[in-house]
Amino acid sequence: MNTTTDHAALSDADKKAQFNFNKLTKWLRHAVGDAINDFNMIEPGDRVMVCLSGGKDSYTMLDILLGLQRSAPIDFSIVAVNLDQKQPGFPGHVLPEYLASLGVEYRIVEEDTYSIVKRVVPDGKTTCGLCSRLRRGILYRVADELGATKIALGHHREDILETLFLNMFHGGKLKAMPPKLVSDDGRHVVIRPLAYCREKDIVRYAEARQFPIIPCNLCGSQPNLQRQVIGDMIADWDKRFPGRVENMFRALQNVVPTHLADTSLYDFVGARADGVAREDGDKAFDSETFSEPNRINILANRPDDVAGCGAD
């Protein structure tokens, strides 16, 4: 979509599409800005390494961050990094040409992790775990070489919720992807600026911006990928129960350790009735009302295409 087209020359349909795109852009910029502010993701003088895979999420992240860089009240620099994992048929020219056209600083890193993953992981097993670990280690090294102070990954709201359910169903942990974290060696800060963004909005934005999407042939073709199964479950809930996904994500920001069962987070052993009132105490005798959210309230302030002008 050409966002600089003369408005007077547009048809009514084009004007509507332009209006919806502008509203969608504003929504995504606000969501990214809110996440950056809430978690202090980017600070003055930061050098942000934006990890670009060639998928819709990382393209959108780079695009939004470049826009915010021009308007933000703080100065920070951006360097885009792509890891060419030597997957068969990977179009190595696409990202360098795209990034050069933007005039953004970039680096293409060539590492044959594809062969390692295919050699080590048995047939029929998912490759995501090993691939992710190899990729992360390389990106940490490159961040050091580039002097990057933040590493930006393109995970969105649904990615975070999918990880929560994957860990619950298959790992026995109540753990998701945090919007910001420090690496285990304490040397790197990873941020996820799209943490508040809905995948369906990113899909529409990427289509409108006509990004040169590069598919991942390594993981995308795997049968019975559990992340995809859980992703389909969340998407189905989103269609059948408007507001449920919003509530699930809100729950990640509203944790009550006293009402879980982790003895490392709360001293259950030492809990005693001492006659002192407490906010986190048991409210079993208090009445609570649970109801599905009102769809009208959910869609307020959302892009028009979410309310019916576009397909899911």
Side-chain angles (χ1 to χ4, degrees):
M1 175 177 291
N2 184 353
T3 59
T4 62
T5 303
D6 183 2
H7 193 71
L10 297 175
S11 67
D12 289 342
D14 288 337
K15 289 178 182 178
K16 184 176 182 179
Q18 183 73 57
F19 174 81
N20 284 339
F21 175 77
N22 291 342
K23 192 170 184 180
L24 177 61
T25 301
K26 183 177 180 180
W27 170 257
L28 286 172
R29 283 172 63 93
H30 274 300
V32 172
D34 286 345
I36 290 174
N37 290 331
D38 288 351
F39 296 93
N40 193 31
M41 291 184 182
I42 300 178
E43 301 170 271
D46 266 342
R47 180 164 168 78
V48 182
M49 188 176 95
V50 177
C51 300
L52 199 66
S53 67
K56 67 183 189 323
D57 305 326
S58 58
Y59 273 124
T60 298
M61 175 176 64
L62 175 63
D63 205 52
I64 298 295
L65 286 178
L66 287 173
L68 291 176
Q69 184 188 37
R70 291 188 288 269
S71 61
I74 62 172
D75 291 325
F76 65 94
S77 61
I78 289 175
V79 54
V81 171
N82 168 253
L83 173 58
D84 182 349
Q85 298 176 265
K86 296 305 175 183
Q87 295 180 28
F90 182 81
H93 66 284
V94 172
L95 281 168
E97 291 177 358
Y98 174 76
L99 293 170
S101 72
L102 294 179
V104 65
E105 180 185 355
Y106 72 91
R107 179 170 173 182
I108 306 298
V109 181
E110 298 185 1
E111 294 279 354
D112 188 4
T113 61
Y114 178 86
S115 296
I116 297 174
V117 171
K118 297 301 288 184
R119 184 179 70 250
V120 173
V121 178
D123 290 340
K125 298 294 184 180
T126 58
T127 61
C128 294
L130 176 59
C131 181
S132 177
R133 288 193 297 275
L134 291 172
R135 193 168 59 244
R136 189 66 59 86
I138 294 168
L139 291 175
Y140 284 165
R141 186 200 76 213
V142 174
D144 285 336
E145 294 172 357
L146 293 174
T149 56
K150 302 287 171 61
I151 301 173
L153 304 180
H155 299 116
H156 48 69
R157 185 189 68 177
E158 277 74 12
D159 287 325
I160 292 173
L161 288 174
E162 287 168 12
T163 302
L164 172 68
F165 285 109
L166 276 171
N167 280 315
M168 288 176 62
F169 295 165
H170 304 286
K173 294 181 180 179
L174 199 59
K175 174 183 175 183
M177 286 179 177
K180 178 183 178 182
L181 79 158
V182 178
S183 60
D184 54 5
D185 62 4
R187 296 172 55 193
H188 303 94
V189 176
V190 176
I191 60 175
R192 296 184 169 95
L194 300 183
Y196 290 169
C197 297
R198 305 185 309 172
E199 184 175 22
K200 64 173 70 173
D201 294 338
I202 293 172
V203 169
R204 295 186 178 99
Y205 187 80
E207 290 174 349
R209 294 286 283 122
Q210 298 179 340
F211 296 132
I213 303 297
I214 302 174
C216 177
N217 297 321
L218 178 59
C219 59
S221 59
Q222 295 177 86
N224 301 320
L225 195 63
Q226 287 303 315
R227 180 172 289 275
Q228 184 60 51
V229 172
I230 291 175
D232 291 343
M233 176 187 74
I234 293 174
D236 178 61
W237 284 348
D238 192 35
K239 289 180 180 179
R240 294 195 295 129
F241 309 106
R244 175 171 291 186
V245 177
E246 281 80 0
N247 277 339
M248 288 192 299
F249 189 83
R250 192 177 299 117
L252 292 177
Q253 301 171 288
N254 192 22
V255 178
V256 185
T258 58
H259 285 52
L260 296 176
D262 190 336
T263 57
S264 68
L265 293 179
Y266 183 75
D267 182 16
F268 291 99
V269 174
R272 298 287 188 275
D274 54 12
V276 178
R278 59 199 70 195
E279 282 297 319
D280 59 1
D282 185 24
K283 295 180 173 59
F285 299 104
D286 297 342
S287 61
E288 285 192 85
T289 302
F290 298 96
S291 61
E292 288 293 338
N294 186 304
R295 182 172 176 80
I296 295 177
N297 291 335
I298 294 165
L299 297 178
N301 301 319
R302 291 293 173 83
D304 281 355
D305 53 355
V306 177
C309 295
D312 285 332

